[in-house]
């Protein structure tokens, strides 16, 4: 089957969701970059208090590694999804696992308690979108949209 006929049968909502997932993951990469380049001044400008700033700057490097794996695999997976490649499924699934690990680390390290309800809310949305992305990619592969 040629690419043009496949494009014709790919639902418009697929393209919308795939583009939104790419945009979402670009935001994730930007947040990752902001976190690894953060300074006390940049965190203070975001209205973190002194205790929160100290907490954030003292995070172990493996937190940044998990964050990096989550956002970069999410972005690569979303681009693969947009390109309708079946490889998107394991890449997005890996990213979702990294988000679950990040959520778990946040819970066990006291990040949620230190950073408050807004942070818990953001991380919950991130988790839901990561799980949705994994489900969506698997569904699209099962429907033959990804090859």
């Amino acid at each position: 089957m040629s690419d043009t006929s496949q494009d014709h049968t790919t639902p418009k909502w697929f393209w919308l969701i795939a583009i939104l997932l790419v945009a979402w993951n670009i935001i994730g990469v930007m947040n990752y970059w902001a976190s690894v380049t953060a300074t006390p001044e940049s965190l203070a400008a975001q209205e973190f208090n002194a205790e929160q700033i100290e907490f954030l700057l003292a995070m172990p490097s493996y937190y940044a590694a998990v964050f990096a794996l989550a956002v970069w695999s999410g972005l690569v997976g979303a681009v693969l999804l947009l390109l309708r490649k079946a490889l998107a499924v394991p890449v997005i699934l890996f990213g979702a696992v990294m988000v679950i690990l990040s959520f778990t680390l946040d819970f066990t390290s006291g990040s949620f308690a230190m950073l408050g309800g807004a942070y818990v809310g953001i991380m919950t949305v991130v988790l839901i979108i990561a799980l949705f992305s994994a489900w969506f990619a698997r569904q699209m592969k099962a429907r033959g949209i990804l090859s």
Side-chain angles (χ1 to χ4, degrees), residues 28-135:
V29 168
M30 290 169 43
N31 282 318
Y32 165 73
W33 183 251
S35 76
V36 297
T37 60
T39 63
E41 296 77 21
S42 67
L43 293 171
Q46 295 174 56
E47 300 185 9
F48 287 103
N49 65 41
E51 188 179 15
Q52 291 170 326
I53 292 169
E54 184 179 337
F55 180 82
L56 289 168
L57 294 177
M59 294 291 258
S61 59
Y62 60 85
Y63 280 70
V66 170
F67 193 1
L69 290 170
V71 299
W72 286 108
S73 60
L75 180 58
V76 169
V79 169
L80 288 168
L81 186 69
L82 189 60
L83 295 172
R84 295 186 340 205
K85 300 296 180 188
L87 184 57
V89 176
V91 174
I92 289 173
L93 183 58
F94 175 78
V97 168
M98 291 298 102
V99 170
I100 292 167
L101 180 56
S102 179
F103 195 91
T104 304
L105 289 171
D106 280 339
F107 181 75
T108 59
S109 73
S111 292
F112 288 157
M114 176 63 70
L115 300 174
Y119 182 71
V120 175
I122 290 166
M123 285 305 296
T124 301
V125 170
V126 168
L127 179 61
I128 290 167
I129 292 173
L131 294 174
F132 169 78
S133 298
W135 171 84

